[in-house]
Amino acid sequence: MVNDLSLDTINALAALILLADFMLVASSRMRSLTRIFALQSLAMGGLAAVVAFETGVGHIYVVAVLSIALKAVVIPRFIDYTADKIQVNREVEPLVKIPGSLLICAAITMLAYFVTEPIMELGTAITSNCLAISFATVLIGMFMMVSRRKAITEVVGLLVVENGVFLAAVSTTYSMPMVVELGVFFDIFVGVIIMGVFAFRINRTFETVDSTVLRRLKD
Amino acid sequence: MLTSMVQALLVLALSPLFTGLIRRSKAYFQGRQGASVLQPYRDLAKLFRKDSVLSHDASWIMTITPYVCMTAVIAAALMVPFITDSSLGFVGDLIVVVYLFGTMRFFMALAGLDAGSSFGGMGSSREMTVSAIVEPTILLSIFTMALISGTTDLSGISRNLATSGLDLVRPALFLALAAFFISTLAENARVPVDNPSTHLELTMIHEAMVLEHSGKHLALMEWSSMTKLLLYAVIMANVFLPWGIATDLTAIGLATGIVAMSLKLLLFGLAIALVESSMAKLRLFRLPNLLTVSFSLSLLAVISYYIL
Amino acid sequence: MFVDQLFLALIVLPFAGAILAATLNGHAKTSVRIAFTVSSLSSLLGLAVAFLIFLDGEMRWELPFSSPFGPLSFYLDTLAAFFLGTISVVTFAVSVYSFGYANHYEGKYPVGLLGAMFNIFFSSMVMVVSSSNAILFLIMWETMSLSSFFLVIFEHRQEGTVGSGLFYLIMTHIGTAAIGMGLLLMYVNSGSFDLSSFPGAAQGMSDVLRSAVFLLWLVGFGAKAGIVPLHVWLPMAHPAAPSNVSALMSAVMVKTAIYMLIRCCFGLLGVQDTWWGITVLAIGCVSALLGVMYALIESDIKRMLAFSTVENVGIMLIALGVAMVFGSYGLKELAGLALIACLMHVLSHALFKSLLFMGAGSVLLATHTKDMERLGGLAKRMPYTGAMFLIGALSASAIPPLSGFISEWLIFQAMLQSFSIPDAMVKILITVALGTLAITGALAAAAFLKVFGITFLARPRSRDADEAREVPKSMLLGMGLMAALCVLAGVLSFAILPGLDQVSAPLAGASIADSLVNGIEIVPTVGEFSQASPPLIAVIILAVMGLVLTLSQAYGGRRKVVRADTWDCGTPLTARTEYSGRGFSNPINRMFSWVYRPIRTFRATRSPSPYIRTEMRYTSTTQPVFEKYLYGPTEAGVRWAAKKISVIQTGSIQTYLGYIFVVLVLLLVALRL
């Protein structure tokens, strides 16, 4: 039988992940962006650890540790480093204003719930009610990528999407097979590095990391 | 009936102390000596002894406003649980309390317009702008608690929550608390929404509205504002973190209640002082960002209550 | 029976009065007196009928001659009686008010016709809520629309009045067309025009057909009620009409549409899908929010009040939608609660909105303007009007324990009960609606604060406002009656609610009067969820107020109150240094600029130094979003289509006769098939 305390912890961490989504959308400083992302990844890792403890599936521990180590420590550091290096302006520069973004995200959350409701009712996993939050996280991550100007914010958005996918995996099927999981981590890590390099490039070519100027490449 | 009255009197009597505490701790955080925590009492006493000056342009609204404000907060104080349940809680639930504060704000803003000075108008206009988002936030966050505890009666919420141990604690509670804390700062004219200690035009919201009041009228306005601040802190303590509230009228229960309440108020006072010392006041048109954050937090609280 | 005779008198009297007033048009004073005496008498009759029906339960009455559409019958149950009572109360107060108000038209416009139309208008509203035959209903609905149209264009020499009236006429006819189609669809299925046959027919209809009828009626009655985006006629027609008429239109005519919506959704169509309720809820939210937002930035008092009507209709629809959602899940008690909340809001809105429109009329009479930016300082010059307007504004801002607060409180409670719904998504939607309602409430307070503060407080902004004097006693009496009712309906709501339960119980299928009212407490819930006691709130407020006053007099020292100038920073204060209405709402205008889409221009004359400007001009206008993006294209489309169709307009009579001939032949063939 599932321990009540674990269930409460999982719910609390899921709520924290959702809260982090909103904080990401609400923050107007680059620095706080990476910090909140680190927090979210930490919650993510914690959640995975609790699930591992509860289900006894050993490899989820590995995933949890990796998640914390990579996404809560290494990647945020790397992003901060990149941002410092190219001396990016600390304002986030959203295309959609923050109040509007927040309301859109609230709508997204409801949409996510609406979409996942039938699936969650079928779900037998202890964490099945996290599914709505994972969908919301994916969608909010995408929304961040769409609505924020800077290349670096797009990277954070992508990472948030990845967190969402990861949460979905953990909450429905107690995570994917080990190999896939590791592969994804590796992909993400490489992806971030490549994007960091690209950010350098964009910066050097256009003297800005505003990704909207890439439109000029069209003609 | 009796406990309610005693508690309301207590709230009324302690409110300047709470304000004094915040000012003193703020001074401490900023490395200043600061005035004694009893200073607000002296200020009020002094103001009560002075003549009131009324503008030629002002109508009867200006004269009745201080009394209306005082009445509204006292009526609210009668319905809010403090050390223990409010025995007049059945008269009005949390919506009534929130709307009583609304009454106070309405008249304060009317009086702001009444003297015909542009400062007052500016204050009123900004106050109503801020409240347009803050009031729904407060309602939604307390509604979350109503859903969690199964009643909209403020005393009922704190009783149900306090007696059920940690069973009713959910993530929604913390989201709602965060939303309510931001709203408390906004409603009571604290940094980062307003600055309570200046009359600068940049920060003018609350101070601008009461600019034309003086003497006894000003004393009543100030006192009612201080009481409102304390009431918000009390609601925050008793609705969101009610553990320790006296559930019966025994000596031990009351003693625990008093100690718990003092600790919580001290904590909130320090938190407010800390926020005020560490943050800068936000530009007026930056405020919607902060306020929508708190609004979506409260919305999120309800949603997460249903989802999780 | 006694009620029947009273009802007959209620129908005959206004028509007689109308004819008399119209014939005496030459003698302005007499015709005014006759017209409004008759209307106040007949409204008292209406009140008596409504009261008797609440005692007896129902009444059925037929016109003694038959028609091709079946018997022309009237049927009054408690729902109809409630609306009849509301219409009567408001009409009575407005009639009293009109004795004074109508006089100022003397010599300028034909006052007799105003009185005549006023009576016909009242009578048609009475028959709209009481007729039980679809055709009779449609005729009365048309009479109501046409009489109100003539009343709207009464001041036809004012610029723009006729245009507003025509717009109103078009909108209301679009609505009537939709209503008519819905009724015909029902007729096809029931084989009778009697409304009482409709519920049975609805059972046998397919889901699609029933939903089609629902949507047609929602659009049709919605156009009359002023739901967004069909609300555009309200802010045009209400300000154009004479103020006593706008009071009637806004406070009760709009409610006949709400009446019909309640009747249709709960009575006639019966079975409800959840999405019907959600649709009504969503429309209600949008109307409430946009209505109040536009009300807030408006600086014409009567336009502002018209927008506020849009808002309040939205709130009623929110309550109705919640009731329908509860009904669809079989939660009868809760549906009853939400319906009671809706009815309470109908009542309180009727009270405060008629009061506010009468107040606006008094201001207009005293100062000849309804533009807030030219008013100010009226609280000192017209103290009674000011005090009563304030009561109306407080009630509209839901200040406890006035009637507006009680209805809003009940709606909140009904919405909070949504946790009993099994479907979590619906719960979340209702919560969002609840948030919307809370924002609406806060913005409404800001809007009414502005309208009262700018109009009545501080210094006058024009000479007209400076020279304003208090209005005649009859007008004050009409307003005073409504102000007293605003307070009483709130404080004594525990006595009104059982009556409303009598209305809602047959519709929702469950009576909750026993649990709802406990002594002087209102317990709007199943289980101990919440309660409040309006009379005790009033008592506490009065007692505390008394205490505060005495104590601060006794211990605050008997200090003098010194009169002095407002602090002016060394520059003499004039009307131009005051905060203007536009300035007041500007922060909200900026905050919600994505709704208002304001267009701002700033021009400064060129001068040698950037620090010394000789002249600066700032304009800020709000785009009429609906006119621009919805009505403009629609109108263009209609014009385009009309042009295409105009080829059949040849001008030769033979061709037209040919058309008729062809249509006749086709119809005959169609009938045979």
Side-chain angles (χ1 to χ4, degrees), chain A residues 21-74:
Chain A
D21 287 335
F22 277 76
M23 283 160 72
L24 281 169
V25 175
S27 59
S28 55
R29 291 287 149 88
M30 299 297 289
R31 239 337 134 77
S32 50
L33 223 53
T34 51
R35 276 188 206 148
I36 297 166
F37 171 72
L39 177 77
Q40 189 181 41
S41 308
L42 201 63
M44 197 57 252
L47 195 143
V50 177
V51 171
F53 173 75
E54 214 34 69
T55 57
V57 184
H59 76 258
I60 308 186
Y61 278 119
V62 184
V63 174
V65 171
L66 265 181
S67 168
I68 293 176
L70 270 183
K71 288 194 292 192
V73 182
V74 179

Side-chain angles (χ1 to χ4, degrees), chain A residues 165-185:
Chain A
V165 173
F166 182 69
L167 179 60
V170 169
S171 60
T172 45
T173 59
Y174 300 141
S175 116
M176 297 173 260
M178 188 69 174
V179 186
V180 182
E181 203 70 81
L182 289 182
V184 169
F185 270 121

Side-chain angles (χ1 to χ4, degrees), chain B residues 52 54-57 93 152, chain C residues 380 413 459 530 562-563 566:
Chain B
S52 292
L54 274 184
S55 160
H56 289 302
D57 300 316
D93 60 352
T152 65
Chain C
K380 281 205 234 158
Q413 297 295 352
R459 285 179 301 278
S530 58
V562 184
R563 282 274 169 182
T566 304

